[in-house]
Amino acid sequence: MKQRLLTPGPTPVPEETLLELAKPVVFHRTAEFRATLAEVLGDLQRIFYTNNPIIPLTSSGTGALEAALANSVPAGGKVICLIAGRFGERWKNIAKAFSVESINVTVPYGQAVQPEQLATALAEHPDATAVCSTLSETSTGVGHDIAAFGKLIAATPALHIVDSISGLGAMECRTDEWNIDINCTGSQKALMMPPGLAFLSVSAKAWGVIDKNPNPRTFYFDLKKARKSLEGSDTPYTPAHTLIRAMRVSLKRILAEGIESVWARQHRYAAGARAGFQALGLELFATQPNTSLTVVKMPAKIDSTTLLGKLEKQYGLKLANGQDTLKGKIIRLAHMGYIDQFDILAAIAGVELVLLEMGHPIEPGAGLAAAQRVFAKK
Ligand SMILES: *Cc1c(COP(=O)(O)O)cnc(C)c1O
């Protein structure tokens, strides 16, 4: 059976990138690899929309979140965490692990943190070193107004640290214009790569804070050491250089299309997926949905665990369940990275088939027709 990976991480990898991964392993301290690394980081600057340096890390995306916090916030410091789901909660948990006080601005699952809530928190906590936000809250499908957050934070001494792991490369994200001081992402969501690499951009304001922090509580993720090595297009420790060599290929694909065109295409994909599911009577879970993935609620009597099991076993369609308290209640369809409109149509067709099989009254083809009408519009 043909398998379709439609989870919000990992996502499918293009064939030409997979072929690159099949090549022999070479030594990494060479002029050739340094040139490849420099090229990849330059290409990433275009995708991040930044002129700031980008630091590569050998880790999953969470490594970049940890590096951002550990380097910039001293023990006993304070951060404001904007929490709209499991990944916002991760910020709070990282702060706890580093003995950093977290001021939590929390909204119920499915909702987005509003800029006014951040304004209040900033006014109440002028001593916060940073605000930690999430571009795409992958657990609920919510998208945040990072530009509005950035505007508020830029007027304060606090840093704006963003988890853009499932957003960057799919959703509009203008690191410099939006005043993002540390923008953290991972390889396996919208960047068309397997897991294993993380990247973060660091602004001049952030370097000022990092340089003044006498005690970065990390050895492996020391950003000052990484900055020093990057002067020679190098890394302090062995990089996952075969992944970086492959990433060069995926980034060329993204930049050949143009990042602004990718953002626009993602809008069409999200509009098609939403229309398709809504035509089946499935409600959107996010009140302020993003364009990387679409999350919908299950009708009463339909358990998403059963539906997703059937989709995978019978049709090779792998979508994601809800996490934690949302398990069984929602389904999450990713449409970022190397996924096209036919993958989305396949997912909608599969959901229609399984709903029919489970005795749920829908009109076969109704979801497909609604999605196709969106895709047919240019
Ligand atoms: C996937 C994801 C993460 C986790 O990244 P790992 O690569 O598993 O460490 C963090 N934040 C968001 C928003 C994500 O989508």
Side-chain angles (χ1 to χ4, degrees), residues 41-57:
L41 298 179
D43 285 350
L44 278 170
Q45 280 180 312
R46 293 168 65 192
I47 294 170
F48 274 67
Y49 250 70
T50 187
N51 293 315
N52 295 322
I54 294 190
I55 295 187
L57 300 173

Side-chain angles (χ1 to χ4, degrees), residues 4-7 10-14 18 188-189 191-194 334 336-339 343:
R4 284 188 172 80
L5 179 63
L6 300 168
T7 59
T11 61
V13 175
L18 293 173
Q188 80 276 24
K189 305 277 172 94
L191 296 176
M192 306 187 185
M193 278 289 292
M336 64 185 122
Y338 188 51
I339 287 175
D343 292 315

Side-chain angles (χ1 to χ4, degrees), residues 8 60-63 65 87 90 134 136 138 163 165-166 188-189:
S60 78
T62 305
L65 308 182
F87 292 106
R90 183 163 299 180
T134 308
S136 153
T138 321
D163 169 352
I165 295 174
S166 73
Q188 80 276 24
K189 305 277 172 94

